[in-house]
Amino acid sequence: SSKDSFYLTFNSKKSVFEVSFPTPIKLNPNRKYECALQYFSTSNYLINVTDANNKFIYSHDSGLIWNTVLLEKGSYEITQINDEIKRFMINKKHIDAKGNPVISIGVILSTFKSFIDISDTKYKVDFTDRTTIKNLLGFNSKLLNSGYNISDSTVQIATASSILIHCDIISGSFHNGIRSSVLYSFPSYLVPVGYKINIIPPNMFYLPVSRTVINNISFRITDEDDKVLDFKEEEMALAIHLKQI
């Protein structure tokens, strides 16, 4: 007799979503089934700046008045962070005699640490607020004075090392030795920010299906720490193949 086979496609703008089936998929309880990812597609809008870490706070008068640069939620490299701060400081006229902003930020390529160069003794940077960009730049919680300040650790611009696609109808998956619902995973930043991520596994890897009646299927897109990834509500599409063994 022929074996059951189902091809299921999904679209969502959320990284956590559930799809219900008006007519449930009923599998033969006397047979075994397995499932694999056929493709996954979205755009690389992985966000590393949110409301939780979007502030750069500095003083231009030895700490009497503090100015806050608010970065818009998005995906930033160090140069883009520096550009936004420079633009803010120029508008505030917080510049030196040559018209350059007093504070500049960059990366030390040999050590992958960042630096914050403060050229005026009256200027300070406040990284004691937990909602600042200090972690992205590799700085501990502290005040920075004038001079060439080097970060305590390497820059943490890439917020995810890998992208994990979870599906709640499968079993047989483990992450760091713990049972999980990961259907497929792949490295993050395979393409530059803004480019299309198109994942088509060269060899579809099948995992056991854990249900006999499928009324709904839930998906979660997370990083390696099980944090849900934010793609700025960019459309994502995926397909799975479910088959009888």
Side-chain angles (χ1 to χ4, degrees), residues 58 60 67-71 82-96 99-103 123:
Y58 73 93
H60 62 283
N67 308 277
T68 300
V69 183
L70 286 176
L71 297 176
N82 187 50
D83 288 345
E84 290 300 317
I85 293 169
K86 282 169 61 177
R87 185 178 297 112
F88 182 94
M89 296 188 76
I90 289 171
N91 287 339
K92 288 279 191 179
K93 293 186 168 39
H94 294 161
I95 52 179
D96 60 21
N100 298 315
V102 172
I103 298 173
Y123 283 70

Side-chain angles (χ1 to χ4, degrees), residues 4 25-33 209 211-213 244:
D4 293 334
I25 298 174
K26 296 182 179 180
L27 307 178
N28 187 333
N30 299 315
R31 297 289 185 268
K32 293 182 179 180
Y33 293 80
V209 173
R211 299 186 198 170
T212 55
V213 178
Q244 180 183 326

Side-chain angles (χ1 to χ4, degrees), residues 8-245:
L8 310 174
T9 61
F10 306 90
N11 292 82
S12 177
K13 291 188 176 183
K14 301 290 186 182
S15 296
V16 177
F17 65 97
E18 180 179 278
V19 175
S20 298
F21 297 90
T23 303
I25 298 174
K26 296 182 179 180
L27 307 178
N28 187 333
N30 299 315
R31 297 289 185 268
K32 293 182 179 180
Y33 293 80
E34 56 187 13
C35 178
L37 180 78
Q38 201 268 326
Y39 71 79
F40 173 81
S41 179
T42 190
S43 292
N44 183 12
Y45 289 132
L46 282 176
I47 287 175
N48 57 4
V49 171
T50 68
D51 292 340
N53 67 339
N54 66 338
K55 294 176 183 175
F56 183 81
I57 303 170
Y58 73 93
S59 174
H60 62 283
D61 57 4
S62 301
L64 295 176
I65 297 174
W66 292 92
N67 308 277
T68 300
V69 183
L70 286 176
L71 297 176
E72 185 179 352
K73 180 180 176 182
S75 183
Y76 291 79
E77 299 288 346
I78 295 289
T79 53
Q80 294 166 321
I81 291 174
N82 187 50
D83 288 345
E84 290 300 317
I85 293 169
K86 282 169 61 177
R87 185 178 297 112
F88 182 94
M89 296 188 76
I90 289 171
N91 287 339
K92 288 279 191 179
K93 293 186 168 39
H94 294 161
I95 52 179
D96 60 21
K98 296 180 180 179
N100 298 315
V102 172
I103 298 173
S104 63
I105 299 173
V107 177
I108 305 169
L109 294 178
S110 58
T111 61
F112 303 108
K113 291 185 176 183
S114 70
F115 68 82
I116 296 181
D117 193 7
I118 306 173
S119 62
D120 189 313
T121 56
K122 295 191 299 294
Y123 283 70
K124 298 176 182 290
V125 171
D126 183 3
F127 278 153
T128 61
D129 188 318
R130 63 182 178 82
T131 60
T132 64
I133 59 173
K134 64 183 179 67
N135 291 334
L136 283 179
L137 299 179
F139 280 89
N140 292 338
S141 178
K142 57 183 168 183
L143 286 174
L144 303 183
N145 295 310
S146 62
Y148 190 76
N149 298 271
I150 299 175
S151 64
D152 302 282
S153 55
T154 57
V155 296
Q156 302 295 320
I157 284 294
T159 56
S161 297
S162 55
I163 296 173
L164 284 64
I165 301 172
H166 300 252
C167 177
D168 71 343
I169 68 166
I170 61 97
S171 61
S173 181
F174 291 79
H175 180 58
N176 287 333
I178 300 173
R179 286 190 180 275
S180 78
S181 59
V182 176
L183 177 65
Y184 194 81
S185 65
F186 56 94
S188 60
Y189 298 101
L190 289 174
V191 298
V193 172
Y195 283 67
K196 203 73 177 175
I197 300 172
N198 290 310
I199 301 298
I200 304 174
N203 299 298
M204 291 171 65
F205 185 78
Y206 286 86
L207 289 166
V209 173
S210 58
R211 299 186 198 170
T212 55
V213 178
I214 301 174
N215 296 293
N216 51 64
I217 299 179
S218 295
F219 293 95
R220 290 190 307 124
I221 316 300
T222 74
D223 68 5
E224 65 279 4
D225 295 321
D226 205 39
K227 295 177 183 175
V228 174
L229 293 174
D230 189 341
F231 289 94
K232 293 197 77 171
E233 296 196 347
E234 181 68 15
E235 184 81 24
M236 59 182 67
L238 65 89
I240 61 176
H241 181 224
L242 192 158
K243 68 178 183 179
Q244 180 183 326
I245 302 174

